[in-house]
């Protein structure tokens, strides 16, 4: 059982993340201020540094928090659509990502917008939460492959890429062929790009009156390139 001191520390860290989120809504990630966090908490600046050593550490907390929340929503959408076709499951994942990004544009921008100058995300803290979305997509494709519903796509791969893909297959215990895995990573990056286009206003004001429908069509098309039968 956690001690009262541990409980208090966890609550303070949650409050720091909450205030950091609020800052992101009105400022850029590069302008995050621990002094402002301290003022909001009613603490002197030196007290906050006992919890978060610098701005980069605050950024990491916010990045992990955003990745975990986004990942959880995509995973829930995939799980809830388990009885649907694989394409519909991918569309459900995409719509969950879109919904979260539209609701949390500043946090989506933190994950997929302009990199913060001078900041390097620590892999030990960010890789696992940062891959939750792609792992959810791969789960759909792996399920389809194991059921025999996924055709193996053709195409030669450079040796360097094949080496990376084989490593990923081993790391995540995938039976998915490496050629399909390559297409799956392309699906992931295309999904991020499509959502970013809408969140950042790149389609323009009058181009798409139903961007959710466009995203479904886009994902269905990409699903065909990955090896799934399309509607």
């Amino acid at each position: 059982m956690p001690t009262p001191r541990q409980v208090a520390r966890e609550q303070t860290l949650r409050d720091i993340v909450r205030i950091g989120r609020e800052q992101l809504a009105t400022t850029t990630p590069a302008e995050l201020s621990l002094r402002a966090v301290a003022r909001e908490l009613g603490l002197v600046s030196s007290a906050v540094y006992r919890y978060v050593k610098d701005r980069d550490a605050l950024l990491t907390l916010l990045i992990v928090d955003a990745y975990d929340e986004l990942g959880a929503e995509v995973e829930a959408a995939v799980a809830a659509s388990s009885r649907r076709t694989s394409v519909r499951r991918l569309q459900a994942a995409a719509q969950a990502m879109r919904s979260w990004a539209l609701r949390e544009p500043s946090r989506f921008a933190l994950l997929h917008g302009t990199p913060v100058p001078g900041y390097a995300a620590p892999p030990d803290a960010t890789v696992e939460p940062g891959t939750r979305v792609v792992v959810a997509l791969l789960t759909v494709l792996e399920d389809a492959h194991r059921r025999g519903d996924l055709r193996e796509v053709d195409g030669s791969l450079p040796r360097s890429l094949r080496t990376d893909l084989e490593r990923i297959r081993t790391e995540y215990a995938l039976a998915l062929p490496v050629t399909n895995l390559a297409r799956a990573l392309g699906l992931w990056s295309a999904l991020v790009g499509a959502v970013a286009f809408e969140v950042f206003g790149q389609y323009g004001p009058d181009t798409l009156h139903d961007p959710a429908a466009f995203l479904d069509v886009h994902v269905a098309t990409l699903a065909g390139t990955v090896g799934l039968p399309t509607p």
Side-chain angles (χ1 to χ4, degrees):
M1 178 178 295
T3 66
R5 183 173 182 177
Q6 289 171 328
V7 171
R9 178 178 177 80
E10 288 300 316
Q11 182 58 56
T12 300
L13 284 170
R14 285 193 293 271
D15 288 340
I16 289 171
V17 169
R18 172 180 56 79
I19 295 167
R21 284 187 186 183
E22 293 169 357
Q23 280 193 41
L24 280 177
T26 59
T27 191
T28 68
E31 295 170 331
L32 287 172
S33 168
L34 281 174
R35 290 182 180 276
V37 171
R39 285 196 302 271
E40 185 72 19
L41 286 172
L43 300 174
V44 297
S45 297
S46 58
V48 173
Y49 289 106
R50 293 201 296 266
Y51 299 92
V52 183
K53 67 178 183 178
D54 53 25
R55 186 214 61 176
D56 284 5
L58 175 59
L59 272 171
T60 299
L61 285 176
L62 293 171
I63 287 169
V64 170
D65 175 63
Y67 272 138
D68 275 335
E69 187 173 287
L70 170 60
E73 293 195 14
V74 171
E75 289 164 357
V78 169
S81 61
S82 61
R83 294 184 180 275
R84 305 176 73 185
T85 67
S86 297
V87 174
R88 297 299 186 197
R89 297 182 75 196
L90 291 177
Q91 289 170 328
Q95 294 295 346
M97 184 176 192
R98 173 180 179 268
S99 295
W100 183 88
L102 291 173
R103 191 175 71 245
E104 301 285 351
S106 60
R107 295 168 73 202
F108 180 82
L110 177 64
L111 301 181
H112 300 298
T114 303
V116 180
Y119 173 75
D124 59 329
T126 59
V127 167
E128 183 173 348
T131 55
R132 287 179 67 170
V133 169
V134 69
V135 169
L137 300 177
L138 289 174
T139 297
V140 174
L141 299 178
E142 181 75 0
D143 288 348
H145 174 65
R146 291 181 184 276
R147 290 195 308 269
D149 294 337
L150 188 78
R151 63 177 174 80
E152 183 172 354
V153 297
D154 297 326
S156 61
L157 298 171
R159 182 178 300 176
S160 57
L161 177 57
R162 183 174 290 274
T163 298
D164 287 338
L165 295 173
E166 291 289 4
R167 173 179 48 79
I168 293 169
R169 287 179 78 236
T170 299
E171 182 177 354
Y172 291 98
L174 298 172
L176 199 66
V178 290
T179 48
N180 295 73
L181 178 56
R183 302 283 186 91
L185 296 182
L187 167 66
W188 175 39
S189 61
L191 171 57
V192 171
V195 172
F197 248 59
E198 183 177 1
V199 172
F200 301 145
Q202 296 300 310
Y203 288 123
D206 299 315
T207 303
L208 295 175
H209 293 92
D210 190 351
F214 171 75
L215 185 61
D216 275 347
V217 171
H218 186 43
V219 170
T221 301
L222 291 168
T225 70
V226 172
L228 289 173
T230 53

